[in-house]
Amino acid sequence: MQRPSALGPYQKQGIPMLDIIVCFKWVVDEAFIRRTSSGDLDFSSVDYKISEYDRNAIEAAVRLREECGGSVTAVTVGPPEAAKGVKDALSRGPDRAVFAEDPLFGGLDPSQTAAVLGQVISSKTPFNLIICGEGSGDVYSQQTGPRLAEFLGIPCAAYVQKLTVKEGRVTAERKVEGFIEVDSLPLPALVTVLPDIATPRIPGVKDTLMASKKAVIKVGKNELTAVPPPLLKTKSVRAARVERECEKFTAEVEDIKRFVAALQKRGVLK
Amino acid sequence: MNFQLTEEQELIRKNIREFAAKYVEPIAAEIDENERHPTELFKKLAEGGWMGIPIPTQYGGSGADYLTNAIVVEEISRSCSSTGFTVSIHVGIACMLILLFGNEEQKKKYLVPLAKGEHMGAFVLTEPGAGTDVMAATTTAAKDGDFYVLNGTKTFISNGPLADTYLVFCWTDKAAGRKGMSSFIIPRGTPGLIPGEHFHKMGLRSSQTSEVVFKDCRVHKDNLLGKEGAGLTNAMTGFDHGRVGIAAQSVGILQAALDESIRYSKERVQMGNPIARHQAISWMIADMATDLEAARFLTYHAAWLKDQGKPFSKEASMAKLFAAEKAMHHTIKAVQIHGGYGYIKGAKVERLMRDAKITEIYEGTSEAQRMVISGNVLR
């Protein structure tokens, strides 16, 4: 698939203002998923929410704007019902939103989501920093952010817990496998952030009411070049099953022996 | 017919639910036990604009509608009925009455800090000998030039010990009957306005309730809320608004009773099965869920009528009557479902049951609601 120019006219002008894009996903609120007696998941009465990780990402973006000046644009890809999510996102502080909307956008895989986001961002929204949550609250593939950076041809740091922006570079503190790595990336860049980056605010009444007054740029599927075919196909989703045997042991010597034997029998101890 | 809340109302519900789970629920048992007014919590509520939801922004409010306010009172009450009620009476009566009947100057001076949540309001009507029988009140305001001099004792005044702004109802001309009562806005600290000590109550214990005594309390005529003689009409309008709030509070209590009953009945095993599988219990829960839905619809309908600018007095009474009585009935059932565990201090259902009782009494007893409703349907 042909990629559009990664950097829009805004970036080419080299404007130093920090224009942040924060990506978010409108996901099923897992509290409403029911499990049927056959082990299937019942989504018939679910509600939706902004993915938990993305709420922290939005908060990080808004705080960075408060610190450095500039703007925050919230961007999402989703079905028309995600319009409520756009309002929710805007109530958390971004200045405007871009919403790539199509009934088919509810079931994209990460490569497709990244491709749509990439096209929308490069054509509609000037930026010099993109912030994504480390993964989405539903499938948590953790791919969309890095794939989007790849699509736009900009540097990427994932799993970031602290961010500072100075003199055209972003310093990203990454938490990886028991140690902390500090990276310096030239802007424009993309970071995926851990929940530790910022605790999301609870929007006040006026924040929610004001959200309806902020600009939302809607992008239809027909404004994009073809969405690539999925690389990943979800064949089924079923509830995890935990089998419990409920065997009881006391602290008596005989029981301890029996306990060890039981663990050995099940391969827990060798 | 449209049963769909707006996106804003749905989002605001989610947000206040999150707020209540984070800041209200964790302290609810403690403030009940210690009869403490949580100043720190009300500061947070003020910051979020939750203390003046239906008041226009030019008067310090959030500029939402009355239905949104009902939803918020419901959700706060689901975690803590005392806190939900304090918001309800502050917004639904104190703020609304100044908005509806105050002049521009009064709105700027008194409503703005109330709607911002910087000040707390109180509705000062009930007297030791005048509950449902408002006309039996004895507190008077005698005219003295440009001033009125108030004397009398008010009781069971919510926010009495801590309010900054008191809306006081008393006789300016007892002989004029229903047109002889007037209402005044009196700020705390006015000489002769003496707030009493907090009463120890069965439930709703963190809501502060006291006597308020007036002893030669001189107030300027500028403090009259509305015209002289309009007090009773103002009070009845206040009740209409307040009753939607009490209905919402009762819906919150009912929802909490249902939440707790579902959770416990799925966990508690007796005779080899979770008690939720026993018909005696599951039917109690079915009735609870059904009455909750009915109470909620009555409440939202009354609030919606208010937002449409239509008469809502009868519907507010119906919602308050039904929701309050169902809250009482089902919190008793919720304790029954919890058995001995529900009778122990610290069990949420025990607090819900104590808190529910007052909803059948204040802002018009259930009997007074039946008087309003029958008066409406029989005329």
Side-chain angles (χ1 to χ4, degrees), chain B residues 110 120 159-166 185-191 193 195-196:
Chain B
Y110 298 108
M120 291 292 283
N159 292 344
L162 55 84
D164 303 280
T165 305
Y166 296 83
I185 308 173
I186 310 182
R188 186 184 191 83
T190 302
L193 184 158

Side-chain angles (χ1 to χ4, degrees), chain A residues 89-102:
Chain A
L90 287 171
S91 74
R92 295 166 189 278
D95 303 284
R96 68 185 80 87
V98 179
F99 177 24
E101 174 196 16
D102 190 273

Side-chain angles (χ1 to χ4, degrees), chain A residues 123-140:
Chain A
S123 64
K124 301 280 177 193
T125 320
F127 73 94
N128 33 35
L129 178 64
I130 300 177
I131 304 179
C132 300
E134 60 167 300
S136 62
D138 51 0
V139 291
Y140 191 62

Side-chain angles (χ1 to χ4, degrees), chain A residues 23-27 48-56 58 84-92 137, chain B residues 14:
Chain A
C23 301
F24 73 94
K25 187 176 182 184
W26 188 238
V27 299
Y48 292 80
K49 63 178 181 182
I50 293 180
S51 171
E52 299 290 340
Y53 305 98
D54 296 345
R55 295 204 311 173
N56 300 53
I58 293 170
K84 193 162 112 189
V86 173
K87 228 172 245 184
D88 190 354
L90 287 171
S91 74
R92 295 166 189 278
Chain B
K14 267 177 193 265

Side-chain angles (χ1 to χ4, degrees), chain B residues 261-331:
Chain B
S261 299
I262 290 174
R263 188 186 54 75
Y264 184 78
S265 65
K266 282 181 168 179
E267 284 171 6
R268 173 70 167 171
V269 173
Q270 290 287 275
M271 290 164 277
N273 275 314
I275 60 171
R277 289 204 207 148
H278 299 173
Q279 196 179 65
I281 303 298
S282 64
W283 283 25
M284 279 190 218
I285 291 174
D287 289 346
M288 209 181 279
T290 306
D291 285 338
L292 167 63
E293 286 295 299
R296 183 175 283 139
F297 283 137
L298 283 174
T299 304
Y300 289 7
H301 181 235
W304 177 84
L305 285 172
K306 149 77 190 158
D307 288 331
Q308 303 304 309
K310 294 181 177 175
F312 67 103
S313 178
K314 179 188 71 181
E315 288 77 7
S317 279
M318 285 175 164
K320 197 263 186 191
L321 170 67
F322 185 82
E325 292 197 340
K326 293 306 178 187
M328 189 68 251
H329 177 78
H330 289 298
T331 51

Side-chain angles (χ1 to χ4, degrees), chain A residues 220-241:
Chain A
K221 200 164 155 233
N222 55 352
E223 293 176 61
L224 306 169
T225 54
V227 178
L231 299 178
L232 184 88
K233 272 185 187 159
T234 303
K235 297 180 97 172
S236 73
V237 179
R238 292 177 67 80
R241 237 181 124 147

